[in-house]
Amino acid sequence: MTNLEIAELLRAVAAAYQLTAPASASRKRGGRENADKNKFKIIAYQRAADAVEHASSELKDLWDDKKLEEVPGIGKSIAEHLDELFRTGKSKHFEEVMEGLPPSMFDLMKVPGVGAKTGYKLAKELGIKSLGELEKAAKTGKIKGIPNILKSIEETKGRTRRLLLPYASQIADSLVEWLKTEPSVKEAVALGSLRRKAATVGDIDIAVATNNPQKVMEHFTKYPKAQRVLEKGEASASIIVPGDIQVDLMVQSPDSFGALLQHFTGSKHHNIALREYALKKGLSLSEYGIKELKSQNSKVIKFETEEKFYKFLGLDCIEPELREDIGEIEAALAHKLPHLVELKDIKADLQIHSDFDIETSHDLGVSSAEEVVGKANELGYEYIAFTEHNPSKSGHSEKQIVELLKKKREKIEKINYSRIQKVFNSLEIDIMPDGSLPVPEAGLELLDFALVSIHGSFKMPREQMTKRVLSALAHPKVKIFAHPTARKLNEREGVELNWPEIFDFCKSKSKWLEINSDPMRLDLPDTLVHEAVKFGVKLSMGTDAHHKDNMDFMQFGVSVARRGWAQKDDIVNCLSLSEFEEVIIK
DNA sequence: GCCGTTTTCGGCCCGACTGTTTTCAGTCG
């Protein structure tokens, strides 16, 4: 079972418990305790589900190593049920809790506005077995009490993809611009996962500072591209824009804007952890500010900036990219937050494809070597590497491959570059299913260093895949494992690898893991970057540009590095040219 | 059911919006 499947199961159990805590129970004597007990059990299961979904290792592997209980949110009881699940394929307890529940209720719960209780009612009382049937029932007016049910169903059907960062930014920018045309808007900022620079964004969150909330709400809901208004209250509103994308707005007075920035940037998990931390100090946090619980007249203390908000709590200000509740609060308290790498620290791009035709196995770049070098100069880089794909193995003899690579090397040696100091002759080489490299020794000798990557045979058992990769990485010319999981966002899951083994190999043999900055890859993923950094593995940044303008993607890779707690020292692209030349021959 | 720099017992984040059961439940972020 995958982590996602386990998370879904735990959420289903949580939903089942919600049904066993009827509202009426609280009115009966003794019912309150039972309802409350379930209430926290529900939260516990939901938290466990979240934790599993966000875990950086497969739960099955943790179970193999008897480390289930090390996942925060999984305790003795859930660990025992999961143990049974892994051993026998099912859990008696989970089955008991969910006994008699119509399976379709979980599908129905995917519709916004339908939770456990509504889902159960729809499935049980109206006998609705699918989204399609729900739609039919809604059209005939049988469904009451769920706002915009038809539209919500439609959006649920279409919503399988999350937004990639550049696209989400565009949408947010256009909305922020629109909001700023209203004079009472003092400030408008995009927050949420977009500000935290998560790899994909579910919906767009925007905060506005104003002294006239009503006017801002009116203006927001009149956004020309708005397809419909989901909600509109005094402090928040939501609209749908083309692409079935939800945009949430929250407003706050300028003197409390810091608290709103903090609240609305999230993540949810960070905020929950922060509020629990604050509670222990007798403080209650919200988007309005901070309340001291012990004082009777508990006035809300306001904050204009986030820095002041965190400082009041005794914490260093935490960069948005770190706010995921993975140790940042503890680090901020101990003044041990990492000094995160920045775009300006990057001195090189280590994966670029030019149009120089060496009859490659995969797509060639479209910009000439000269154009790429010009762009590198613009970006102020010290050095770059040309990393076209290897010539296809099927179409060439070994001798032909070496000839093509000779031509490429000669071409690179003749390049005239002005500001940039060095262009490395590299190659992105397929890792064949058996772990071999499709380039003969004589061809590899022509390279300064090589990248290797997986471009086929993605489905392979974990240990076999790990062996495959390590065998390719072992060649002395190979320095970089490029887009290591081979995932494509919204399209393809990553391959399965034994990461501790990969990390160990990379660290001891000084190989580097790439952070591929293409917004559709962002690979290594941030959680694995964090693991790698903790392990002491060095990282390499590349844009995988197939057009010179794609070299601007570096910002997205840097965001991934920052989300993985990477500092300058963790990234080889931050080395000066002379330092880099030393490490590539190590 | 989870968890521990107030606690191994007794707590558990906080507020907004909708619809409607006019004081709250359900859902969401």
PDB file of all heavy atoms in Angstrom, chain B residues 13-25:
ATOM      1  P    DC B  13      -5.519  21.486  19.209  1.00  0.00           P
ATOM      2  OP1  DC B  13      -6.884  21.144  18.818  1.00  0.00           O
ATOM      3  OP2  DC B  13      -4.379  21.106  18.360  1.00  0.00           O
ATOM      4  O5'  DC B  13      -5.469  23.044  19.462  1.00  0.00           O
ATOM      5  C5'  DC B  13      -4.228  23.735  19.472  1.00  0.00           C
ATOM      6  C4'  DC B  13      -4.433  25.113  18.915  1.00  0.00           C
ATOM      7  O4'  DC B  13      -4.550  25.028  17.477  1.00  0.00           O
ATOM      8  C3'  DC B  13      -5.701  25.769  19.421  1.00  0.00           C
ATOM      9  O3'  DC B  13      -5.406  27.150  19.653  1.00  0.00           O
ATOM     10  C2'  DC B  13      -6.695  25.604  18.279  1.00  0.00           C
ATOM     11  C1'  DC B  13      -5.783  25.612  17.057  1.00  0.00           C
ATOM     12  N1   DC B  13      -6.250  24.814  15.902  1.00  0.00           N
ATOM     13  C2   DC B  13      -6.176  25.376  14.627  1.00  0.00           C
ATOM     14  O2   DC B  13      -5.767  26.530  14.508  1.00  0.00           O
ATOM     15  N3   DC B  13      -6.581  24.645  13.562  1.00  0.00           N
ATOM     16  C4   DC B  13      -7.024  23.397  13.735  1.00  0.00           C
ATOM     17  N4   DC B  13      -7.397  22.718  12.667  1.00  0.00           N
ATOM     18  C5   DC B  13      -7.096  22.815  15.022  1.00  0.00           C
ATOM     19  C6   DC B  13      -6.704  23.543  16.078  1.00  0.00           C
ATOM     20  P    DC B  14      -6.457  28.085  20.368  1.00  0.00           P
ATOM     21  OP1  DC B  14      -5.681  29.126  21.061  1.00  0.00           O
ATOM     22  OP2  DC B  14      -7.436  27.260  21.092  1.00  0.00           O
ATOM     23  O5'  DC B  14      -7.218  28.754  19.151  1.00  0.00           O
ATOM     24  C5'  DC B  14      -6.523  29.671  18.308  1.00  0.00           C
ATOM     25  C4'  DC B  14      -7.436  30.084  17.202  1.00  0.00           C
ATOM     26  O4'  DC B  14      -7.620  28.980  16.298  1.00  0.00           O
ATOM     27  C3'  DC B  14      -8.847  30.492  17.654  1.00  0.00           C
ATOM     28  O3'  DC B  14      -8.990  31.880  17.422  1.00  0.00           O
ATOM     29  C2'  DC B  14      -9.787  29.633  16.811  1.00  0.00           C
ATOM     30  C1'  DC B  14      -8.887  29.120  15.707  1.00  0.00           C
ATOM     31  N1   DC B  14      -9.242  27.811  15.122  1.00  0.00           N
ATOM     32  C2   DC B  14      -9.296  27.681  13.724  1.00  0.00           C
ATOM     33  O2   DC B  14      -9.057  28.660  13.027  1.00  0.00           O
ATOM     34  N3   DC B  14      -9.619  26.488  13.197  1.00  0.00           N
ATOM     35  C4   DC B  14      -9.874  25.451  13.991  1.00  0.00           C
ATOM     36  N4   DC B  14     -10.184  24.285  13.411  1.00  0.00           N
ATOM     37  C5   DC B  14      -9.822  25.559  15.407  1.00  0.00           C
ATOM     38  C6   DC B  14      -9.508  26.751  15.939  1.00  0.00           C
ATOM     39  P    DG B  15     -10.280  32.647  17.889  1.00  0.00           P
ATOM     40  OP1  DG B  15      -9.830  33.945  18.407  1.00  0.00           O
ATOM     41  OP2  DG B  15     -11.127  31.751  18.693  1.00  0.00           O
ATOM     42  O5'  DG B  15     -11.026  32.906  16.507  1.00  0.00           O
ATOM     43  C5'  DG B  15     -10.328  33.574  15.474  1.00  0.00           C
ATOM     44  C4'  DG B  15     -10.996  33.278  14.174  1.00  0.00           C
ATOM     45  O4'  DG B  15     -10.974  31.851  13.937  1.00  0.00           O
ATOM     46  C3'  DG B  15     -12.476  33.688  14.126  1.00  0.00           C
ATOM     47  O3'  DG B  15     -12.623  34.626  13.077  1.00  0.00           O
ATOM     48  C2'  DG B  15     -13.224  32.383  13.852  1.00  0.00           C
ATOM     49  C1'  DG B  15     -12.146  31.511  13.223  1.00  0.00           C
ATOM     50  N9   DG B  15     -12.399  30.090  13.377  1.00  0.00           N
ATOM     51  C8   DG B  15     -12.631  29.402  14.535  1.00  0.00           C
ATOM     52  N7   DG B  15     -12.844  28.130  14.346  1.00  0.00           N
ATOM     53  C5   DG B  15     -12.755  27.976  12.956  1.00  0.00           C
ATOM     54  C6   DG B  15     -12.896  26.823  12.150  1.00  0.00           C
ATOM     55  O6   DG B  15     -13.150  25.670  12.513  1.00  0.00           O
ATOM     56  N1   DG B  15     -12.729  27.108  10.810  1.00  0.00           N
ATOM     57  C2   DG B  15     -12.456  28.352  10.307  1.00  0.00           C
ATOM     58  N2   DG B  15     -12.318  28.438   8.986  1.00  0.00           N
ATOM     59  N3   DG B  15     -12.310  29.438  11.040  1.00  0.00           N
ATOM     60  C4   DG B  15     -12.476  29.179  12.357  1.00  0.00           C
ATOM     61  P    DA B  16     -13.996  35.282  12.729  1.00  0.00           P
ATOM     62  OP1  DA B  16     -13.743  36.710  12.555  1.00  0.00           O
ATOM     63  OP2  DA B  16     -15.041  34.799  13.643  1.00  0.00           O
ATOM     64  O5'  DA B  16     -14.275  34.645  11.316  1.00  0.00           O
ATOM     65  C5'  DA B  16     -13.307  34.795  10.286  1.00  0.00           C
ATOM     66  C4'  DA B  16     -13.853  34.215   9.018  1.00  0.00           C
ATOM     67  O4'  DA B  16     -13.817  32.769   9.134  1.00  0.00           O
ATOM     68  C3'  DA B  16     -15.312  34.603   8.780  1.00  0.00           C
ATOM     69  O3'  DA B  16     -15.502  35.103   7.472  1.00  0.00           O
ATOM     70  C2'  DA B  16     -16.107  33.347   9.028  1.00  0.00           C
ATOM     71  C1'  DA B  16     -15.093  32.220   8.869  1.00  0.00           C
ATOM     72  N9   DA B  16     -15.339  31.166   9.849  1.00  0.00           N
ATOM     73  C8   DA B  16     -15.393  31.283  11.204  1.00  0.00           C
ATOM     74  N7   DA B  16     -15.649  30.156  11.822  1.00  0.00           N
ATOM     75  C5   DA B  16     -15.783  29.238  10.804  1.00  0.00           C
ATOM     76  C6   DA B  16     -16.062  27.857  10.800  1.00  0.00           C
ATOM     77  N6   DA B  16     -16.267  27.144  11.921  1.00  0.00           N
ATOM     78  N1   DA B  16     -16.121  27.234   9.619  1.00  0.00           N
ATOM     79  C2   DA B  16     -15.919  27.949   8.501  1.00  0.00           C
ATOM     80  N3   DA B  16     -15.641  29.248   8.378  1.00  0.00           N
ATOM     81  C4   DA B  16     -15.592  29.835   9.572  1.00  0.00           C
ATOM     82  P    DC B  17     -16.866  35.769   7.094  1.00  0.00           P
ATOM     83  OP1  DC B  17     -16.575  36.779   6.079  1.00  0.00           O
ATOM     84  OP2  DC B  17     -17.616  36.104   8.330  1.00  0.00           O
ATOM     85  O5'  DC B  17     -17.630  34.554   6.412  1.00  0.00           O
ATOM     86  C5'  DC B  17     -17.038  33.889   5.298  1.00  0.00           C
ATOM     87  C4'  DC B  17     -17.930  32.741   4.903  1.00  0.00           C
ATOM     88  O4'  DC B  17     -17.845  31.709   5.903  1.00  0.00           O
ATOM     89  C3'  DC B  17     -19.403  33.147   4.804  1.00  0.00           C
ATOM     90  O3'  DC B  17     -19.886  32.797   3.528  1.00  0.00           O
ATOM     91  C2'  DC B  17     -20.086  32.360   5.914  1.00  0.00           C
ATOM     92  C1'  DC B  17     -19.130  31.202   6.157  1.00  0.00           C
ATOM     93  N1   DC B  17     -19.140  30.682   7.547  1.00  0.00           N
ATOM     94  C2   DC B  17     -19.309  29.309   7.774  1.00  0.00           C
ATOM     95  O2   DC B  17     -19.440  28.566   6.801  1.00  0.00           O
ATOM     96  N3   DC B  17     -19.325  28.843   9.048  1.00  0.00           N
ATOM     97  C4   DC B  17     -19.168  29.685  10.075  1.00  0.00           C
ATOM     98  N4   DC B  17     -19.185  29.181  11.304  1.00  0.00           N
ATOM     99  C5   DC B  17     -18.995  31.081   9.869  1.00  0.00           C
ATOM    100  C6   DC B  17     -18.988  31.540   8.604  1.00  0.00           C
ATOM    101  P    DT B  18     -21.340  33.240   3.097  1.00  0.00           P
ATOM    102  OP1  DT B  18     -21.268  33.596   1.674  1.00  0.00           O
ATOM    103  OP2  DT B  18     -21.903  34.180   4.087  1.00  0.00           O
ATOM    104  O5'  DT B  18     -22.135  31.875   3.248  1.00  0.00           O
ATOM    105  C5'  DT B  18     -21.691  30.727   2.533  1.00  0.00           C
ATOM    106  C4'  DT B  18     -22.612  29.579   2.838  1.00  0.00           C
ATOM    107  O4'  DT B  18     -22.380  29.121   4.192  1.00  0.00           O
ATOM    108  C3'  DT B  18     -24.097  29.935   2.746  1.00  0.00           C
ATOM    109  O3'  DT B  18     -24.733  29.021   1.876  1.00  0.00           O
ATOM    110  C2'  DT B  18     -24.624  29.817   4.180  1.00  0.00           C
ATOM    111  C1'  DT B  18     -23.609  28.898   4.846  1.00  0.00           C
ATOM    112  N1   DT B  18     -23.357  29.155   6.285  1.00  0.00           N
ATOM    113  C2   DT B  18     -23.351  28.093   7.167  1.00  0.00           C
ATOM    114  O2   DT B  18     -23.564  26.957   6.821  1.00  0.00           O
ATOM    115  N3   DT B  18     -23.081  28.429   8.467  1.00  0.00           N
ATOM    116  C4   DT B  18     -22.819  29.694   8.971  1.00  0.00           C
ATOM    117  O4   DT B  18     -22.586  29.872  10.155  1.00  0.00           O
ATOM    118  C5   DT B  18     -22.838  30.756   7.999  1.00  0.00           C
ATOM    119  C7   DT B  18     -22.584  32.166   8.446  1.00  0.00           C
ATOM    120  C6   DT B  18     -23.105  30.451   6.708  1.00  0.00           C
ATOM    121  P    DG B  19     -26.211  29.332   1.354  1.00  0.00           P
ATOM    122  OP1  DG B  19     -26.305  28.787  -0.004  1.00  0.00           O
ATOM    123  OP2  DG B  19     -26.540  30.735   1.635  1.00  0.00           O
ATOM    124  O5'  DG B  19     -27.091  28.423   2.330  1.00  0.00           O
ATOM    125  C5'  DG B  19     -26.790  27.047   2.458  1.00  0.00           C
ATOM    126  C4'  DG B  19     -27.600  26.453   3.572  1.00  0.00           C
ATOM    127  O4'  DG B  19     -27.061  26.882   4.845  1.00  0.00           O
ATOM    128  C3'  DG B  19     -29.084  26.874   3.574  1.00  0.00           C
ATOM    129  O3'  DG B  19     -29.855  25.723   3.865  1.00  0.00           O
ATOM    130  C2'  DG B  19     -29.152  27.911   4.690  1.00  0.00           C
ATOM    131  C1'  DG B  19     -28.108  27.378   5.661  1.00  0.00           C
ATOM    132  N9   DG B  19     -27.530  28.365   6.568  1.00  0.00           N
ATOM    133  C8   DG B  19     -27.245  29.682   6.310  1.00  0.00           C
ATOM    134  N7   DG B  19     -26.701  30.310   7.327  1.00  0.00           N
ATOM    135  C5   DG B  19     -26.633  29.335   8.318  1.00  0.00           C
ATOM    136  C6   DG B  19     -26.158  29.405   9.653  1.00  0.00           C
ATOM    137  O6   DG B  19     -25.667  30.377  10.238  1.00  0.00           O
ATOM    138  N1   DG B  19     -26.276  28.171  10.319  1.00  0.00           N
ATOM    139  C2   DG B  19     -26.791  27.032   9.754  1.00  0.00           C
ATOM    140  N2   DG B  19     -26.830  25.958  10.536  1.00  0.00           N
ATOM    141  N3   DG B  19     -27.244  26.956   8.515  1.00  0.00           N
ATOM    142  C4   DG B  19     -27.140  28.141   7.852  1.00  0.00           C
ATOM    143  P    DT B  20     -31.399  25.791   3.712  1.00  0.00           P
ATOM    144  OP1  DT B  20     -31.783  24.552   2.999  1.00  0.00           O
ATOM    145  OP2  DT B  20     -31.802  27.115   3.189  1.00  0.00           O
ATOM    146  O5'  DT B  20     -31.895  25.678   5.215  1.00  0.00           O
ATOM    147  C5'  DT B  20     -31.254  24.749   6.082  1.00  0.00           C
ATOM    148  C4'  DT B  20     -31.487  25.173   7.514  1.00  0.00           C
ATOM    149  O4'  DT B  20     -30.709  26.353   7.805  1.00  0.00           O
ATOM    150  C3'  DT B  20     -32.952  25.548   7.828  1.00  0.00           C
ATOM    151  O3'  DT B  20     -33.354  24.803   8.962  1.00  0.00           O
ATOM    152  C2'  DT B  20     -32.899  27.034   8.141  1.00  0.00           C
ATOM    153  C1'  DT B  20     -31.478  27.177   8.665  1.00  0.00           C
ATOM    154  N1   DT B  20     -30.909  28.542   8.627  1.00  0.00           N
ATOM    155  C2   DT B  20     -30.235  28.987   9.729  1.00  0.00           C
ATOM    156  O2   DT B  20     -30.076  28.324  10.735  1.00  0.00           O
ATOM    157  N3   DT B  20     -29.728  30.264   9.628  1.00  0.00           N
ATOM    158  C4   DT B  20     -29.843  31.108   8.538  1.00  0.00           C
ATOM    159  O4   DT B  20     -29.356  32.228   8.559  1.00  0.00           O
ATOM    160  C5   DT B  20     -30.568  30.580   7.409  1.00  0.00           C
ATOM    161  C7   DT B  20     -30.742  31.418   6.184  1.00  0.00           C
ATOM    162  C6   DT B  20     -31.058  29.337   7.502  1.00  0.00           C
ATOM    163  P    DT B  21     -34.895  24.404   9.059  1.00  0.00           P
ATOM    164  OP1  DT B  21     -35.056  22.961   9.092  1.00  0.00           O
ATOM    165  OP2  DT B  21     -35.634  25.184   8.047  1.00  0.00           O
ATOM    166  O5'  DT B  21     -35.190  25.021  10.511  1.00  0.00           O
ATOM    167  C5'  DT B  21     -35.928  24.237  11.447  1.00  0.00           C
ATOM    168  C4'  DT B  21     -35.070  23.947  12.662  1.00  0.00           C
ATOM    169  O4'  DT B  21     -34.136  22.886  12.382  1.00  0.00           O
ATOM    170  C3'  DT B  21     -34.155  25.090  13.081  1.00  0.00           C
ATOM    171  O3'  DT B  21     -34.820  26.030  13.853  1.00  0.00           O
ATOM    172  C2'  DT B  21     -33.119  24.355  13.893  1.00  0.00           C
ATOM    173  C1'  DT B  21     -32.979  23.035  13.171  1.00  0.00           C
ATOM    174  N1   DT B  21     -31.767  22.935  12.307  1.00  0.00           N
ATOM    175  C2   DT B  21     -30.521  23.146  12.847  1.00  0.00           C
ATOM    176  O2   DT B  21     -30.318  23.421  14.010  1.00  0.00           O
ATOM    177  N3   DT B  21     -29.489  23.030  11.956  1.00  0.00           N
ATOM    178  C4   DT B  21     -29.584  22.732  10.606  1.00  0.00           C
ATOM    179  O4   DT B  21     -28.583  22.648   9.907  1.00  0.00           O
ATOM    180  C5   DT B  21     -30.920  22.525  10.094  1.00  0.00           C
ATOM    181  C7   DT B  21     -31.115  22.218   8.645  1.00  0.00           C
ATOM    182  C6   DT B  21     -31.945  22.619  10.962  1.00  0.00           C
ATOM    183  P    DT B  22     -34.420  27.579  13.573  1.00  0.00           P
ATOM    184  OP1  DT B  22     -34.978  27.857  12.239  1.00  0.00           O
ATOM    185  OP2  DT B  22     -32.974  27.721  13.819  1.00  0.00           O
ATOM    186  O5'  DT B  22     -35.285  28.430  14.657  1.00  0.00           O
ATOM    187  C5'  DT B  22     -35.068  28.311  16.009  1.00  0.00           C
ATOM    188  C4'  DT B  22     -33.884  29.174  16.423  1.00  0.00           C
ATOM    189  O4'  DT B  22     -33.349  29.843  15.269  1.00  0.00           O
ATOM    190  C3'  DT B  22     -34.240  30.269  17.416  1.00  0.00           C
ATOM    191  O3'  DT B  22     -33.284  30.311  18.473  1.00  0.00           O
ATOM    192  C2'  DT B  22     -34.203  31.565  16.606  1.00  0.00           C
ATOM    193  C1'  DT B  22     -33.198  31.218  15.504  1.00  0.00           C
ATOM    194  N1   DT B  22     -33.400  31.908  14.199  1.00  0.00           N
ATOM    195  C2   DT B  22     -32.500  32.867  13.821  1.00  0.00           C
ATOM    196  O2   DT B  22     -31.546  33.188  14.497  1.00  0.00           O
ATOM    197  N3   DT B  22     -32.747  33.431  12.599  1.00  0.00           N
ATOM    198  C4   DT B  22     -33.794  33.150  11.719  1.00  0.00           C
ATOM    199  O4   DT B  22     -33.906  33.720  10.659  1.00  0.00           O
ATOM    200  C5   DT B  22     -34.715  32.141  12.183  1.00  0.00           C
ATOM    201  C7   DT B  22     -35.867  31.767  11.350  1.00  0.00           C
ATOM    202  C6   DT B  22     -34.484  31.570  13.382  1.00  0.00           C
ATOM    203  P    DT B  23     -33.090  28.957  19.394  1.00  0.00           P
ATOM    204  OP1  DT B  23     -32.911  27.759  18.555  1.00  0.00           O
ATOM    205  OP2  DT B  23     -34.179  29.000  20.378  1.00  0.00           O
ATOM    206  O5'  DT B  23     -31.735  29.262  20.192  1.00  0.00           O
ATOM    207  C5'  DT B  23     -31.037  28.188  20.776  1.00  0.00           C
ATOM    208  C4'  DT B  23     -29.656  28.105  20.182  1.00  0.00           C
ATOM    209  O4'  DT B  23     -29.668  28.629  18.847  1.00  0.00           O
ATOM    210  C3'  DT B  23     -28.562  28.894  20.942  1.00  0.00           C
ATOM    211  O3'  DT B  23     -27.562  28.001  21.401  1.00  0.00           O
ATOM    212  C2'  DT B  23     -28.103  29.934  19.942  1.00  0.00           C
ATOM    213  C1'  DT B  23     -28.440  29.253  18.598  1.00  0.00           C
ATOM    214  N1   DT B  23     -28.531  30.131  17.387  1.00  0.00           N
ATOM    215  C2   DT B  23     -28.893  29.579  16.182  1.00  0.00           C
ATOM    216  O2   DT B  23     -29.165  28.427  16.059  1.00  0.00           O
ATOM    217  N3   DT B  23     -28.906  30.455  15.127  1.00  0.00           N
ATOM    218  C4   DT B  23     -28.608  31.794  15.129  1.00  0.00           C
ATOM    219  O4   DT B  23     -28.643  32.467  14.119  1.00  0.00           O
ATOM    220  C5   DT B  23     -28.242  32.298  16.435  1.00  0.00           C
ATOM    221  C7   DT B  23     -27.885  33.751  16.568  1.00  0.00           C
ATOM    222  C6   DT B  23     -28.222  31.464  17.481  1.00  0.00           C
ATOM    223  P    DC B  24     -26.071  27.785  20.787  1.00  0.00           P
ATOM    224  OP1  DC B  24     -25.376  26.812  21.635  1.00  0.00           O
ATOM    225  OP2  DC B  24     -25.455  29.093  20.525  1.00  0.00           O
ATOM    226  O5'  DC B  24     -26.385  27.087  19.398  1.00  0.00           O
ATOM    227  C5'  DC B  24     -27.302  25.984  19.303  1.00  0.00           C
ATOM    228  C4'  DC B  24     -27.026  25.218  18.036  1.00  0.00           C
ATOM    229  O4'  DC B  24     -27.106  26.104  16.888  1.00  0.00           O
ATOM    230  C3'  DC B  24     -25.644  24.565  17.968  1.00  0.00           C
ATOM    231  O3'  DC B  24     -25.773  23.215  17.610  1.00  0.00           O
ATOM    232  C2'  DC B  24     -24.894  25.381  16.929  1.00  0.00           C
ATOM    233  C1'  DC B  24     -26.020  25.840  16.011  1.00  0.00           C
ATOM    234  N1   DC B  24     -25.716  27.075  15.263  1.00  0.00           N
ATOM    235  C2   DC B  24     -25.901  27.073  13.875  1.00  0.00           C
ATOM    236  O2   DC B  24     -26.321  26.052  13.320  1.00  0.00           O
ATOM    237  N3   DC B  24     -25.613  28.197  13.177  1.00  0.00           N
ATOM    238  C4   DC B  24     -25.163  29.285  13.816  1.00  0.00           C
ATOM    239  N4   DC B  24     -24.899  30.361  13.076  1.00  0.00           N
ATOM    240  C5   DC B  24     -24.967  29.304  15.230  1.00  0.00           C
ATOM    241  C6   DC B  24     -25.249  28.189  15.910  1.00  0.00           C
ATOM    242  P    DA B  25     -24.505  22.268  17.837  1.00  0.00           P
ATOM    243  OP1  DA B  25     -24.794  21.354  18.952  1.00  0.00           O
ATOM    244  OP2  DA B  25     -23.268  23.067  17.845  1.00  0.00           O
ATOM    245  O5'  DA B  25     -24.542  21.441  16.486  1.00  0.00           O
ATOM    246  C5'  DA B  25     -25.793  21.136  15.866  1.00  0.00           C
ATOM    247  C4'  DA B  25     -25.540  20.845  14.402  1.00  0.00           C
ATOM    248  O4'  DA B  25     -25.302  22.095  13.697  1.00  0.00           O
ATOM    249  C3'  DA B  25     -24.305  19.975  14.146  1.00  0.00           C
ATOM    250  O3'  DA B  25     -24.622  19.062  13.121  1.00  0.00           O
ATOM    251  C2'  DA B  25     -23.231  20.978  13.729  1.00  0.00           C
ATOM    252  C1'  DA B  25     -24.057  22.045  13.030  1.00  0.00           C
ATOM    253  N9   DA B  25     -23.492  23.401  13.094  1.00  0.00           N
ATOM    254  C8   DA B  25     -22.941  24.028  14.169  1.00  0.00           C
ATOM    255  N7   DA B  25     -22.542  25.257  13.919  1.00  0.00           N
ATOM    256  C5   DA B  25     -22.867  25.452  12.585  1.00  0.00           C
ATOM    257  C6   DA B  25     -22.705  26.547  11.725  1.00  0.00           C
ATOM    258  N6   DA B  25     -22.163  27.706  12.082  1.00  0.00           N
ATOM    259  N1   DA B  25     -23.125  26.403  10.452  1.00  0.00           N
ATOM    260  C2   DA B  25     -23.688  25.232  10.088  1.00  0.00           C
ATOM    261  N3   DA B  25     -23.887  24.137  10.803  1.00  0.00           N
ATOM    262  C4   DA B  25     -23.454  24.315  12.061  1.00  0.00           C
TER     263       DA B  25
END
